[in-house]
Amino acid sequence: MARDAGMDYESFYRQSVEQPEVFWAEQARRIHWDTPPKQILDQSRPPFRRWFVGGTTNLCHNAVDRHLAARAEQLALVAVSSETGITREFTYRELHREVNAFAAVLQSLGVGKGDRVVVYLPNIAEAVFAMLACTRIGAIHSVVFGGFAAHNLALRIDDAQPKLLVCADAGMRAGKVIPYKPLVDAALNEASAPPPHVLLVDRGLDPQMNRVPGRDVDYAGLRARHEGAEVPVAWLESNEPSYLLYTSGTTGKPKGVQRDTGGYAVAMAMSIRCIFDIAPGQVMFSTSDVGWAVGHSYNVYGPLIGGATSLLYEGLPTRPDPGVWWGLCEKYGVHSMFSSPTAVRVLKKQDAGWLHKHDLSKLRWLFLAGEPLDEPTAQWINAELGVPVVDNYWQTETGWPAITLMPGLEMKPARLGSPGLPAPGYKMKVIDENTGREVPAGSKGVLVLEPPLPPGCLSTIWRDDDRYVHSYFSHFRELLYSSLDWAIRDADGYTFILGRTDDVINVSGHRLGTREIEESVAGHPAVAEAAVVGVKDELKGQVPVVFATLKQAAGAGAADVARGMQQCVVEQLGSVAKPARVYVVGALPKTRSGKLLRRSLQALAEQRDPGDLSTLDDPAALEEIRKALERGPDQEN
Ligand code: ATP
Ligand code: MG
């Protein structure tokens, strides 16, 4: 077992950045290698780097098979759906059986090493089986969040070019069945590289589900045929890809974040123990969807590699009642819980009595991530739960927390508003966006990482090394990874995140690029130009608000077009992206160089001062916006 017991945060962190090869060689002992690494770090081609070169391992083996000797009868996965009312429990032995059957099914459909498999499933056990079955045989999974609409799915299919798509008949939300299959059919119609087969997980929710003969196959039938199969694991070189996960993409085309195998396994094994404080046999409850980065790392790979029990949840935090999560914590003896500030804000609106009804004596920590954690939310949940709240900062790209406290190692005092200190391996700086020089403590700058990125972080963008370099490493003269977030570091190294250097809206924890919504709205035939900004919303964090100008000969009334714009967004991006308000205006405020002044628009929409207007081209355009806001929207949700 790797050395960590009794180590303090400072020495742990210091070694990780000053002697990375010594540090990570030690951490690599946490996982099973079929062949041990020959070289810990290869930095010969920066900003690329390769961890554990020459070592061979397998994610599925480390997450499942490896535990059979010591904990076959321990629960590995508990999949709870408050929508269907069904709870399914799987021991490590049962998980092993399911994953092997799924892997055999994949092989029977022609899926092999290096092939991509798009997984478009709700938060159900089969999503976990599918992911582990892929990594077992060396296929590359690409999970697409079930809330994404057909167009988004099609974009990801065309980029990943999968051999197979796995989907369910339907998901459920707030008691309503949401059919998935029609979205898949539409996406496959639109895609230029549709896979030859679609594997259907039929939950019996949509009796009308359509099946395309020859293309669509039912999982249940194939599973029955392959039950009891034993599929050998494929030993992969540490740097071979394990999975792709697309970011929401502010530039229109989503980026396929590519994860390696060995580095990711080691990062999961270390972080589940040292950050999330989970020891083998303990229970972790992450409320994330498997379609997000948190779901990949802390619903699937982290807890399972760590020999823990992982709780997966489909449903709302408030149904059947606002105590549902706390009831699960009590029933399964959850040790560490992981959720988002949005979810806590929803619960904060409920009677705290729901929380106190349950025995939460086993719960040690509540981790929150994904968006800034505001003080009232942090203080409320901390006081009601009586356990420390650990804010942690990360990105899809990093795959695990970059800034956090490490209760599994040494719990340092938290500072409200800050996720804490750099995680092991992250060489972090806050620099001036113009000069590239480090800013003094207490000053705002761009948060950057010095290469090499630690194990677990993205290795590249799928089939686009240039885009990897260009998107992340080309912002400064020095070769630095830009997080594209503003930050302030205090004198003790606590880092505060101040928001993004680009424009992204966060609606109930879902990240939406304003550019994407703008593109969608502008697709309406009557729209000339549109600007989308995120406007503060008490419940959802932010909501998208549209300001648009119409083409001269549009003919249709403003209200009709506004409604049409909302429809475009719902059809192309999904209902999470639906604009809350649409204003049809005569002109949009722009800079002299023709850039939309989104920041001023947002400020006005939030009844704030529009700020620096020195670059404004036409002051009349701003007046237009003020008047429109006074008059009220042409269409409201
Ligand atoms: P894209 O890169 O396609 O625009 P995204 O950045 O919106 O997608 P994620 O990778 O899921 O999608 O989000 C990472 C971002 O979320 C961070 O860069 C940061 O802005 C924000 N974030 C995450 N955790 C925290 C946190 N604890 N505090 C403040 N902000 C956070
Ligand atoms: Mg991002």
Side-chain angles (χ1 to χ4, degrees):
M1 195 20 87
R3 191 157 43 97
D4 62 48
M7 259 181 118
D8 59 300
Y9 164 78
E10 269 86 13
S11 12
F12 202 69
Y13 176 73
R14 202 176 325 110
Q15 193 192 35
S16 78
V17 290
E18 286 174 6
Q19 298 172 281
E21 300 187 54
V22 175
F23 179 85
W24 289 110
E26 180 73 23
Q27 297 306 320
R29 292 168 51 190
R30 294 179 187 274
I31 67 156
H32 171 82
W33 296 89
D34 191 54
T35 323
K38 296 187 175 50
Q39 185 186 355
I40 298 302
L41 172 62
D42 168 16
Q43 286 195 83
S44 56
R45 201 167 63 98
F48 299 92
R49 85 301 181 214
R50 301 191 304 148
W51 288 101
F52 311 116
V53 182
T56 61
T57 185
N58 181 285
L59 281 176
C60 178
H61 175 87
N62 276 286
V64 185
D65 303 48
R66 191 181 180 215
H67 303 304
L68 292 179
R71 49 192 75 254
E73 308 314 327
Q74 177 199 307
L75 282 183
L77 177 69
V78 179
V80 179
S81 173
S82 62
E83 296 288 348
T84 61
I86 296 170
T87 293
R88 296 158 76 199
E89 299 180 340
F90 302 89
T91 62
Y92 272 99
R93 187 189 305 288
E94 288 161 342
L95 179 63
H96 182 257
R97 219 179 138 75
E98 292 295 339
V99 169
N100 272 278
F102 211 114
V105 169
L106 292 179
Q107 286 180 330
S108 77
L109 293 169
V111 177
K113 188 180 157 184
D115 291 334
R116 276 79 55 210
V117 175
V118 167
V119 177
Y120 186 70
L121 288 171
N123 234 17
I124 56 175
E126 280 75 11
V128 180
F129 304 158
M131 291 163 79
L132 292 167
C134 284
T135 47
R136 182 172 197 84
I137 62 172
I140 301 168
H141 61 71
S142 174
V143 184
V144 177
F145 170 58
F148 280 134
H151 175 65
N152 264 313
L153 181 56
L155 285 177
R156 286 156 174 81
I157 289 170
D158 280 343
D159 196 67
Q161 307 201 338
K163 199 68 170 278
L164 179 73
L165 186 147
V166 187
C167 81
D169 56 340
M172 274 185 82
R173 200 178 152 77
K176 233 181 82 198
V177 171
I178 301 166
Y180 276 29
K181 187 61 192 342
L183 298 174
V184 169
D185 288 338
L188 292 181
N189 257 336
E190 186 185 331
S192 51
H197 289 294
V198 175
L199 183 61
L200 298 171
V201 177
D202 188 355
R203 308 173 72 193
L205 295 177
D206 181 11
Q208 261 89 56
M209 178 164 62
N210 165 54
R211 287 172 172 81
V212 176
R215 186 194 73 182
D216 300 351
V217 281
D218 271 86
Y219 176 64
L222 286 177
R223 178 184 172 278
R225 205 180 305 159
H226 293 281
E227 213 179 348
E230 291 204 11
V231 177
V233 304
W235 299 110
L236 302 185
E237 198 277 336
S238 175
N239 294 280
E240 291 190 86
S242 56
Y243 68 78
L244 310 179
L245 180 55
Y246 287 85
T247 65
S248 58
T250 51
T251 49
K253 193 182 162 218
K255 297 186 282 269
V257 165
Q258 179 178 322
R259 210 78 75 196
D260 70 1
T261 296
Y264 183 65
V266 172
M268 289 301 101
M270 188 275 281
S271 60
I272 196 72
R273 188 84 191 83
C274 299
I275 298 177
F276 295 96
D277 189 37
I278 288 286
Q282 287 182 332
V283 184
M284 169 100 182
F285 177 18
S286 161
T287 66
S288 174
D289 189 282
V290 285
W292 302 128
V294 175
H296 280 63
S297 293
Y298 299 110
N299 283 88
V300 184
Y301 293 109
L304 295 178
I305 287 175
T309 301
S310 175
L311 246 69
L312 187 72
Y313 179 79
E314 178 189 44
L316 300 178
T318 46
R319 274 173 59 98
D321 62 61
V324 57
W325 284 358
W326 315 119
L328 289 172
C329 285
E330 175 178 353
K331 180 172 174 197
Y332 290 99
V334 172
H335 181 86
S336 297
M337 182 163 167
F338 195 162
S339 193
S340 66
T342 311
V344 175
R345 282 197 286 269
V346 168
L347 291 171
K348 190 166 164 245
K349 299 211 147 193
Q350 315 290 330
D351 181 357
W354 286 109
L355 204 150
H356 301 299
K357 267 179 57 178
H358 298 279
D359 173 8
L360 300 175
S361 54
K362 290 244 176 78
L363 187 64
R364 268 306 267 125
W365 314 101
L366 174 66
F367 295 86
L368 298 173
E371 53 188 305
L373 175 62
D374 56 287
E375 293 194 18
T377 303
Q379 275 162 340
W380 176 80
I381 192 69
N382 178 246
E384 297 300 338
L385 271 185
V387 307
V389 174
V390 186
D391 180 9
N392 58 115
Y393 163 88
W394 46 312
Q395 305 184 310
T396 305
E397 289 87 345
T398 65
W400 57 288
I403 305 175
T404 185
L405 296 178
M406 300 186 65
L409 192 68
E410 180 203 4
M411 184 60 181
K412 309 282 275 183
R415 287 190 190 167
L416 272 178
S418 166
L421 303 160
Y426 288 89
K427 275 174 130 177
M428 220 167 253
K429 288 204 283 195
V430 177
I431 65 173
D432 183 288
E433 69 172 317
N434 298 311
T435 66
R437 273 197 290 274
E438 210 159 349
V439 299
S443 303
K444 177 179 165 180
V446 180
L447 182 73
V448 298
L449 301 174
E450 249 178 83
L453 298 184
C457 294
L458 81 170
S459 34
T460 187
I461 295 201
W462 174 245
R463 287 191 174 157
D464 204 343
D465 284 353
D466 288 344
R467 195 166 178 215
Y468 171 72
V469 177
H470 181 81
S471 303
Y472 303 111
F473 292 93
S474 66
H475 300 268
F476 306 101
R477 248 197 320 275
E478 243 184 293
L479 205 54
L480 295 167
Y481 171 94
S482 175
S483 70
L484 302 173
D485 283 315
W486 300 113
I488 289 183
R489 247 177 139 163
D490 72 13
D492 303 313
Y494 282 76
T495 305
F496 297 76
I497 304 295
L498 304 175
R500 304 151 168 281
T501 58
D502 54 2
D503 294 304
V504 166
I505 305 182
N506 191 328
V507 184
S508 305
H510 304 298
R511 314 188 163 285
L512 312 164
T514 51
R515 288 274 298 274
E516 247 188 328
I517 304 177
E518 277 170 14
E519 272 175 31
S520 166
V521 163
H524 188 289
V527 173
E529 198 178 11
V532 174
V533 294
V535 174
K536 267 209 192 94
D537 180 272
E538 222 187 32
L539 194 63
K540 294 182 173 171
Q542 281 185 308
V543 290
V545 171
V546 177
F547 296 90
T549 57
L550 301 191
K551 288 180 183 155
Q552 226 130 62
D560 283 344
V561 179
R563 214 169 309 121
M565 284 188 251
Q566 282 184 319
Q567 236 155 36
C568 287
V569 176
V570 171
E571 275 160 24
Q572 287 168 20
L573 305 174
S575 51
V576 284
K578 184 178 177 187
R581 294 185 282 285
V582 180
Y583 296 89
V584 173
V585 293
L588 293 170
K590 290 191 185 169
T591 64
R592 259 164 243 134
S593 58
K595 286 202 193 79
L596 279 168
L597 272 169
R598 288 196 192 74
R599 230 167 294 181
S600 304
L601 269 179
Q602 184 188 40
L604 286 178
E606 295 185 344
Q607 282 145 21
R608 289 183 287 113
D609 185 274
D612 178 14
L613 294 175
S614 56
T615 55
L616 183 66
D617 189 23
D618 176 16
L622 213 62
E623 256 336 286
E624 277 269 350
I625 301 295
R626 282 207 179 91
K627 272 195 228 138
L629 286 164
E630 254 166 50
R631 187 188 71 221
D634 294 282
Q635 175 62 25
E636 204 161 356
N637 233 350

